[in-house]
Amino acid sequence: MKIATFNINNINKRLANLLEWLRASTPDVVCLQELKVADSQLPKAAIENAGYGAAWLGEKSWNGVAILARDCEPIVTRTGLPGDPADTQSRYIEAAINGVIIASLYAPNGNPQPGPKFAYKLAWLRRLATHAATLYAAGVPVVLAGDYNIVPTDFDIYPIRSYANNALVQPQSRAAFQQILQQGWLDAIRARHPDAPMYTFWDYMRNRWQRDSGLRLDHLLLSAQAAERLVNAGVDREVRGNDGASDHAPAWIALRDRTRRQRRSSGAKLKAPRGERRKTDSAKTSLPRRPLLVIDGDNFAHRAYHALPKTILGRGGKPSGAVLGFANFLLRLYRDEQLRAIIVAWDTLEAPTYRHKEFPAYQSGREFDDALVEQLKALPKFVTACGFVNAKARGYEADDFLAAAAAAEERCGGTVLIASGDRDTFQLASDKTTVLFPLRGGEIARIGPAEVRARYGVDPQQVPDFIALRGDPSDKLPGAPGVGALGAAELLRKYGTLEAVLNAGRFPGQAEKLRLYRRIAAMNPNAPLPSLATQTPTWRKAAALARRWDLNQLASRLEEMTANGAR
């Protein structure tokens, strides 16, 4: 995962430079500073055409920060530093991307000093240090990237005396930077290049670029969880020499992601680049109508809750990370897929299903935080506000509604997309139903019958038999004694079904238990369904609800969708 920070010094003026660098460098995440444009003037279309989603805070003529993410949308977690509600300058934005919290920050310059501008700089840095301590304590990968407007040491500036009174090198500024480092943050560029100046800024005056008279002002600070994944860091200094360049050059880091390498070697079919998949899908099939999307609501709410920091708060200081993460995923799917309707399926936590009654150990020991339970109660309201429908009933699990919706839509000749991170849903894959399975790093695998066979060695309809024989630790299903995944697949290739395995005399002492495990693993296609009628999203209602919950960045996204033509 390559993360870069780049003070662009007017994004519209230097848009061509930015796009050329994006094409050449292909960073996964870019933190931009000094946009110098109002929100309405951001070149969003050009950024999207380059393959990046964006979150930003603009400010006319001055300041402005943004986070770009390749092939995905940043999940915004904070806009502005806490501690001073009166501070309206656009200097800080924070988002979750591929499991990493990333901040783009533009610290005040502070000149002239002493004076009110320098006092504001030091106060802003104190607020940054306080918030940085909170982020560090969260125990998750965090990257604080941006133009700090601080030269940390004399080694980080070319030999010069004229900067002696400059706010960038004052002892108070340097002490503020050190205070953050002392919390445990790693200065990634300096850590990887301890013996090189690694300048990131060269003033336009007095041929300072030509004379390599630079300063190191742009830094990427890593929490312990991010630092342990650091494999490289550098500065794309040649960018500073291009025609019309910013006076800064991009600085970047590369974080190790073993799961991504394993994923690419496993043969999983990953999400195609933005704009390509729609073209491919439409050419591949001629659909009688657009697909129905069915979402495993609990699964994605849990994923969002555990992936995002607990510092994301809504109205009344209530935790809202699960709501925000789920909402952003829902909007991403709506944007990426040509859908006719969306159903979100939910478990009923307070009522047992037949699975719990027949096998008391089923899913035993699971405990949910109160904060997650509260958000699970709120999320169906958001789904309804968007104009979509929820599926929930006593005695049924979300899995059952996934199966029922897929069966009903296939009977009508339609196609289905099932979004779930539960591999049990692979049993629903068919020539008309595709499972959208999330992978680490924000990518999505599209699972059809061929992918199920490649992963498990069995056909989709054999998955419940496979689970019964192999077992499922997450659901507390023991499986057949001494049979793992390879053994289960081999038995099913030989006999076809669990029942045939048992009729052949295998596992005589476990037969009834294995039949029970199969009943538990099989999804119930007879669950009661809401209407499957074609829907028209009501983004305006959803935006109003997000405003009431004080999730203003989400509300702005929904309002933008309304402005683009949806009701």
Side-chain angles (χ1 to χ4, degrees), residues 504-563:
R506 304 295 299 270
F507 314 111
Q510 300 289 321
E512 289 310 309
K513 288 184 178 180
L514 292 174
R515 291 186 176 103
L516 170 61
Y517 303 157
R518 191 198 183 282
R519 288 198 300 275
I520 290 172
M523 297 177 178
N524 183 0
N526 299 313
L529 285 173
S531 170
L532 301 183
T534 299
Q535 302 159 349
T536 300
T538 51
W539 303 126
R540 184 175 289 109
K541 292 181 180 179
L545 179 62
R547 291 281 181 208
R548 289 199 297 273
W549 287 347
D550 283 348
L551 298 176
N552 293 322
Q553 186 74 18
L554 173 60
S556 296
R557 288 190 63 196
L558 291 162
E559 289 163 354
E560 182 180 340
M561 297 177 78
T562 300

Side-chain angles (χ1 to χ4, degrees), residues 123-153:
W124 194 94
L125 291 170
R126 285 194 293 270
R127 288 161 53 206
L128 176 62
T130 299
H131 184 55
T134 301
L135 290 173
Y136 197 91
V140 298
V142 184
V143 178
L144 301 179
D147 180 356
Y148 284 69
N149 265 315
I150 297 173
V151 177
T153 71

Side-chain angles (χ1 to χ4, degrees), residues 409-561:
E409 190 73 1
E410 286 192 5
R411 284 196 299 269
C412 297
T415 58
V416 187
L417 298 173
I418 294 177
S420 176
D422 185 350
R423 290 177 175 83
D424 292 0
T425 58
F426 290 3
Q427 64 190 269
L428 303 177
S430 72
D431 58 344
K432 294 183 177 180
T433 296
T434 300
V435 177
L436 304 180
F437 188 77
L439 303 170
R440 293 189 64 180
E443 298 181 74
I444 294 178
R446 302 175 79 86
I447 305 297
E451 287 72 31
V452 176
R453 287 189 287 270
R455 286 169 177 250
Y456 286 162
V458 300
D459 290 324
Q461 64 268 25
Q462 294 175 301
V463 168
D465 307 75
F466 177 83
I467 293 172
L469 288 164
R470 180 206 60 186
D472 187 342
S474 65
D475 287 340
K476 301 300 176 67
L477 300 180
V483 176
L486 294 178
E490 184 177 349
L491 286 169
L492 292 173
R493 282 194 295 270
K494 180 176 181 179
Y495 294 103
T497 66
L498 171 65
E499 197 60 36
V501 171
L502 299 177
N503 290 339
R506 304 295 299 270
F507 314 111
Q510 300 289 321
E512 289 310 309
K513 288 184 178 180
L514 292 174
R515 291 186 176 103
L516 170 61
Y517 303 157
R518 191 198 183 282
R519 288 198 300 275
I520 290 172
M523 297 177 178
N524 183 0
N526 299 313
L529 285 173
S531 170
L532 301 183
T534 299
Q535 302 159 349
T536 300
T538 51
W539 303 126
R540 184 175 289 109
K541 292 181 180 179
L545 179 62
R547 291 281 181 208
R548 289 199 297 273
W549 287 347
D550 283 348
L551 298 176
N552 293 322
Q553 186 74 18
L554 173 60
S556 296
R557 288 190 63 196
L558 291 162
E559 289 163 354
E560 182 180 340
M561 297 177 78

